[in-house]
Amino acid sequence: MVRISHWRKKCIGCNACVEAAPMRWRISRKDGKSVLVGGVEKKGVFLLKTEETHSDSLALKNCPVRIIRMERVNG
């Protein structure tokens, strides 16, 4: 399992994460920033515990402002 962290406040809305992993990310119609689908906000950071996929790694790698993190966690 991995925990995906997303600092949404710093998002520039480039859509790179959505293109890499459309099942995990979407762009908000309200402010044009990306949203981590199923993410829960804690102190301005959105967190999601899930199984890692190749597209998750691509989203992390493609983010030009480096606001997506992934770390391995136990169940």
Side-chain angles (χ1 to χ4, degrees):
M1 284 206 111
V2 294
R3 179 177 26 235
I4 301 173
S5 305
H6 178 234
W7 282 261
R8 188 173 187 279
K9 188 175 185 179
K10 296 182 180 184
C11 179
I12 60 172
C14 71
N15 205 41
C17 56
V18 177
E19 289 177 17
M23 298 300 286
R24 182 83 66 214
W25 302 92
R26 67 177 174 79
I27 293 293
S28 169
R29 290 184 185 154
K30 189 174 182 178
D31 63 5
K33 294 183 178 191
S34 64
V35 176
L36 177 58
V37 176
V40 176
E41 194 239 343
K42 282 190 177 179
K43 298 182 181 179
V45 179
F46 287 80
L47 304 168
L48 177 68
K49 213 184 268 191
T50 186
E51 293 298 322
E52 181 178 5
T53 67
H54 177 68
S55 56
D56 291 332
S57 298
L58 281 176
L60 181 143
K61 180 181 173 187
N62 292 343
C63 179
V65 288
R66 305 289 183 230
I67 58 169
I68 301 170
R69 302 271 192 278
M70 260 193 318
E71 61 182 318
R72 297 214 181 278
V73 294
N74 294 328

